[in-house]
Amino acid sequence: MKIQFKIVFHSLLVLMMLVSCNTIQETRTFIPGSKNQWPMSGGPDGSWKVKTDLQVPTEWSVRTGKNIKWKKTLPEGGQSGIAIWKDKLFITINPPNDNPKHAEILNRFKITKAKYDTLFDIEVKRLQNDNKLRKLKKALEAPEQEWNNFLAKHKHYQSATSLERVGIEENLMRRNDIGKAYEKVLKDYKAYVHGKSDALNNAYDELNRLKKARKGGAKSKNIVLLCINSETGETLWERTVKGTIESQYNYGFSDATTPCPITDGKNVWAINASGGMACYTLEGQLIWERTWVPSTGGKPFNKQFDSILFEDLILNAEPPEDNDATRNKSWNYLHAFNKDTGERVWVTEEALTHYNTPVLGETSDGNVAVLIGRGGPHEVPERPVGLSLISLDKSSQGQALWHWEPEEENAVSGWGALSTQHWDTDKASWFFKGDSHLTIDTKTGKLIAKKRLNVVDQYHFDIKKGNYIIKKDVALEHHQNQRHCNMSSDDYLFYMVRYQPYIARHNVKSGKNEHLEVPTEVDENGDLLWGSKEKNDGLNSKGQLNAFDARTRGDGFQKCFLGSPTMINNFIYFTNALGVVYVIDANAETFDQSALVAVNDLGPRGKTWSVNSLSFANGKIYHRTMKELICIGK
């Protein structure tokens, strides 16, 4: 890969020292024997952070094969993390189906559209002297012109891909008065013409069927757990994990496969966010399974909550049991299950929002706890908005150590519940909508500080000069951050900016904000691309468009829930939706080009999509896209 700017010498020196260092303190583990393994979503201690003496891959390319040990084509997409224990690897996918390839659907749509248009024109010509048709056609002219003018000026519609425009136009037409007026007269006009020809009606029905199919989509109650050899990529076995409510495949904000499998080296557990959980031996023998009905009050119902294993307990987010008279039936709570039997051990009194991703950690007195949050958009019901730190200590397991509630309304303050809830012995993070970040004392649950996020020093790449320039104190409007895609390190909070190709670094003490522009893609020559408009096909490995939401086919920084970054030693790995992985040096003195260690790809340009977190085990990085599972390192 050809880097288009000079990386500062001291960064290279730091890199060389870190990958060969033999004195790095290794990460703690909450699961016996999980050293250098990745047993659950956040790794050995559930924090998405590890420290290791092993050599850490920082540069690779699936396109060229650089530093790729193996890659495996997946029969269908999925969003789970990757659990690894020695020579076994576990992921979940959506069940494969026999839907036609998207290219076939598009071709059939094109043929049917041409047939329909011909029949329509023939019928209009035959009715050219019909007075009623003339009036309807005349009435259509002005609304049609006004609608076309509206679309021509609509920035979101004009910047969208052809695949996205279909859904955007339909949504705009439903909500916009100009669209509603045009749709009404168009419907009257077409209905009159259709009423005169059975052949035209039949072609219209087929066209509508293919129009719906063209949008893509598939759904299922169940998911599939795959056991794969971590050294070769060979599938060893697969099992179906039952659910209770159908879920759309590969929704950009999570689907039924979102939770990472869990393993302790003896058994493996899979969680189906559509309402199922199952335990198997490492050879695939079923030990126990259970189902429940997820909360349907939120949109989507599938939670972003990820898997947590602590000692003998599996933690999951679910509504209360049917016979629970003390909790709100439409809310989600943190439930603890015995890993060996599947029996419920305890349920928190405090609720958590299904968008929230709790994270394990240690308190200042050395006890383990998990941080949960409430609040957010789409009328999520759980209250009060804010945070609770739940004890996992034997003497107070499942009880809250403290609560924190912001004073501001949910419309502004509740967005922090959408975060991956990274925290440490001193502080926790909470995002307000766009503009602010709050720091909470994890000893007391009291507010420490509130700092602005939307006044920043931007390190912007100047394409003409071929290097970075700094823009001081840039005031950003409508600033948005990828709340799931954040990582804390000492006094710094790192996160990916939404809609703009920047990675942010926020100093929680000083309030200083730095944004580093990153390349949007890598071209066929290995050169970095800056500020380019990118897209992906949204297809699985079989060429099917089973991802129904057009937002999955955005530019990499689009509106979606990207997975949490993974931090290995001082390297933070951010993955955007196009499968571009940015490696950031968290120890960089200044957040400029010296902080960008590498830019890596997970597959071909325009054909790769991922909202996954990477895993690190046995000296290898494991990652996945909608099409492939990848082992990185030699």
Side-chain angles (χ1 to χ4, degrees):
M1 184 178 298
K2 300 176 182 177
I3 304 293
Q4 293 176 323
F5 52 83
K6 182 178 180 181
I7 298 179
V8 176
F9 175 76
H10 81 267
S11 287
L12 290 176
L13 183 60
V14 169
L15 174 60
M16 293 171 63
M17 291 173 61
L18 285 168
V19 297
S20 61
C21 181
N22 293 317
T23 60
I24 294 174
Q25 182 181 359
E26 294 177 348
T27 189
R28 66 180 183 268
T29 62
F30 295 145
I31 302 170
S34 62
K35 173 184 174 181
N36 293 328
Q37 308 305 313
W38 199 270
M40 57 180 167
S41 58
D45 70 349
S47 69
W48 279 273
K49 300 178 185 178
V50 292
K51 292 184 178 180
T52 179
D53 291 334
L54 298 175
Q55 186 168 338
V56 182
T58 57
E59 294 187 17
W60 69 83
S61 171
V62 172
R63 298 173 195 175
T64 66
K66 177 183 178 181
N67 211 18
I68 303 298
K69 182 172 183 180
W70 56 258
K71 58 181 181 176
K72 176 185 181 65
T73 299
L74 296 172
E76 183 50 78
Q79 301 189 15
S80 80
I82 305 165
I84 305 109
W85 198 282
K86 296 183 179 177
D87 63 346
K88 288 186 172 62
L89 174 156
F90 302 95
I91 62 170
T92 57
I93 62 172
N94 289 298
N97 57 45
D98 296 325
N99 288 349
K101 292 183 178 181
H102 191 53
E104 295 175 7
I105 294 173
L106 292 178
N107 187 53
R108 282 155 54 186
F109 178 85
K110 182 179 179 181
I111 293 171
T112 304
K113 179 75 164 57
K115 177 182 177 181
Y116 167 78
D117 289 343
T118 299
L119 289 172
F120 192 90
D121 290 342
I122 290 172
E123 197 60 28
V124 169
K125 187 174 182 180
R126 189 179 70 81
L127 296 170
Q128 60 183 328
N129 294 323
D130 187 300
N131 287 330
K132 185 173 182 179
L133 182 66
R134 287 180 177 179
K135 291 179 181 180
L136 290 169
K137 193 173 184 178
K138 184 67 176 175
L140 184 64
E141 291 178 359
E144 184 176 32
Q145 184 61 48
E146 194 172 2
W147 178 242
N148 289 335
N149 291 340
F150 171 80
L151 292 178
K153 296 176 182 178
H154 196 277
K155 291 182 179 179
H156 181 45
Y157 177 81
Q158 291 299 327
S159 64
T161 65
S162 58
L163 283 171
E164 292 176 303
R165 283 187 176 187
V166 175
I168 294 172
E169 183 173 2
E170 290 178 354
N171 288 332
L172 288 172
M173 192 172 284
R174 283 196 300 268
R175 297 195 303 262
N176 184 273
D177 289 340
I178 297 173
K180 291 176 183 177
Y182 173 55
E183 185 180 34
K184 183 180 183 304
V185 292
L186 180 62
K187 185 177 180 180
D188 292 343
Y189 174 66
K190 285 185 174 180
Y192 186 75
V193 179
H194 290 169
K196 303 295 182 179
S197 170
D198 290 339
L200 181 59
N201 268 327
N202 292 336
Y204 185 65
D205 289 343
E206 176 65 6
L207 185 65
N208 278 334
R209 187 187 70 79
L210 290 169
K211 187 176 182 181
K212 184 178 180 180
R214 185 178 60 167
K215 295 179 182 178
K219 53 187 177 181
S220 173
K221 294 180 180 179
N222 303 330
I223 64 171
V224 178
L225 171 66
L226 298 180
C227 176
I228 294 167
N229 186 301
S230 64
E231 293 296 318
T232 65
E234 175 191 2
T235 299
L236 302 177
W237 51 262
E238 61 181 64
R239 298 291 183 269
T240 296
V241 182
K242 300 172 186 174
T244 60
I245 297 179
E246 286 192 325
S247 170
Q248 286 280 0
Y249 287 17
N250 296 302
Y251 185 45
F253 299 87
S254 74
D255 69 8
T257 67
T258 295
C260 182
I262 306 169
T263 182
D264 62 357
K266 299 176 182 178
N267 296 319
V268 58
W269 296 264
I271 300 173
N272 178 350
S274 287
M277 186 183 295
C279 175
Y280 302 90
T281 66
L282 294 192
E283 288 69 44
Q285 180 181 351
L286 179 66
I287 298 175
W288 58 260
E289 62 182 352
R290 58 176 292 270
T291 59
W292 75 94
V293 178
S295 169
T296 58
K299 299 177 183 178
F301 74 84
N302 292 123
K303 55 188 175 294
Q304 190 68 22
F305 179 93
D306 218 325
S307 59
I308 296 176
L309 175 63
F310 175 70
E311 295 182 343
D312 293 331
L313 298 177
I314 294 174
L315 305 185
N316 196 33
E318 301 179 14
E321 292 183 274
D322 291 339
N323 61 358
D324 190 333
T326 64
R327 294 174 178 81
N328 191 313
K329 299 296 185 185
S330 64
W331 291 11
N332 289 288
Y333 297 83
L334 193 63
H335 297 241
F337 298 91
N338 183 291
K339 70 176 185 178
D340 296 320
T341 66
E343 294 179 357
R344 200 180 320 264
V345 179
W346 49 259
V347 184
T348 57
E349 294 296 326
E350 297 73 26
L352 77 163
T353 298
H354 58 228
Y355 289 113
N356 184 249
T357 303
V359 175
L360 287 175
E362 284 186 335
T363 63
S364 58
D365 55 7
N367 292 323
V368 182
V370 59
L371 189 64
I372 65 173
R374 295 163 297 278
H378 300 306
E379 301 177 348
V380 293
E382 294 86 3
R383 292 294 185 272
V385 171
L387 290 167
S388 297
L389 188 65
I390 306 299
S391 173
L392 294 178
D393 183 65
K394 292 291 186 184
S395 63
S396 56
Q397 207 166 79
Q399 299 177 22
L401 297 173
W402 52 255
H403 307 292
W404 170 77
E405 183 178 353
E407 297 178 356
E408 292 82 352
E409 292 293 324
N410 175 61
V412 173
S413 66
W415 292 73
L418 277 65
S419 295
T420 302
Q421 225 66 72
H422 294 292
W423 63 286
D424 58 31
T425 56
D426 298 317
K427 59 191 176 303
S429 290
W430 187 266
F431 290 95
F432 272 13
K433 187 178 182 180
D435 293 341
S436 302
H437 175 264
L438 283 68
T439 305
I440 314 303
D441 189 328
T442 48
K443 302 182 189 70
T444 64
K446 303 296 184 183
L447 179 66
I448 297 174
K450 178 181 177 182
K451 304 289 186 181
R452 296 290 297 273
L453 291 174
N454 62 343
V455 177
V456 308
D457 290 349
Q458 283 191 336
Y459 291 90
H460 169 73
F461 190 80
D462 188 309
I463 298 176
K464 291 183 179 179
K465 294 181 179 179
N467 57 27
Y468 279 99
I469 59 173
I470 185 171
K471 298 179 180 179
K472 292 275 192 177
D473 297 324
V474 177
L476 302 177
E477 295 183 3
H478 310 298
H479 173 57
Q480 291 198 33
N481 42 67
Q482 292 280 9
R483 295 168 183 84
H484 276 84
C485 203
N486 75 85
M487 177 60 67
S488 61
S489 177
D490 297 326
D491 292 335
Y492 288 106
L493 177 72
F494 298 83
Y495 62 89
M496 186 174 288
V497 178
R498 180 177 283 176
Y499 302 130
Q500 298 292 330
Y502 288 87
I503 292 174
R505 184 173 79 170
H506 171 69
N507 189 306
V508 299
K509 288 187 175 179
S510 70
K512 182 178 181 179
N513 296 297
E514 299 164 287
H515 282 194
L516 175 64
E517 184 176 6
V518 291
T520 47
E521 252 291 3
V522 183
D523 69 12
E524 59 277 6
N525 298 317
D527 293 325
L528 301 177
L529 299 176
W530 302 86
S532 60
K533 288 297 294 181
E534 301 295 328
K535 60 182 180 180
N536 71 89
D537 57 18
L539 304 179
N540 65 11
S541 63
K542 297 190 291 186
Q544 298 167 317
L545 186 62
N546 285 338
F548 80 103
D549 187 352
R551 287 176 293 187
T552 62
R553 302 185 284 279
D555 63 1
F557 294 84
Q558 71 264 30
K559 191 174 183 179
C560 61
F561 280 170
L562 299 174
S564 172
T566 302
M567 187 171 182
I568 310 172
N569 295 335
N570 65 304
F571 300 128
I572 304 177
Y573 295 76
F574 286 91
T575 305
N576 77 5
L578 296 180
V580 179
V581 182
Y582 307 100
V583 184
I584 299 296
D585 182 0
N587 293 342
E589 185 174 343
T590 304
F591 204 56
D592 56 13
Q593 62 264 34
S594 65
L596 185 58
V597 175
V599 181
N600 306 306
D601 70 79
L602 294 178
R605 181 183 177 190
K607 298 181 180 181
T608 304
W609 185 79
S610 179
V611 288
N612 299 101
S613 297
L614 62 81
S615 301
F616 177 75
N618 306 319
K620 308 289 190 302
I621 284 176
Y622 297 86
H623 217 325
R624 65 182 293 187
T625 68
M626 191 186 296
K627 295 182 174 73
E628 290 184 320
L629 176 66
I630 303 150
C631 178
I632 300 163
K634 298 297 185 181

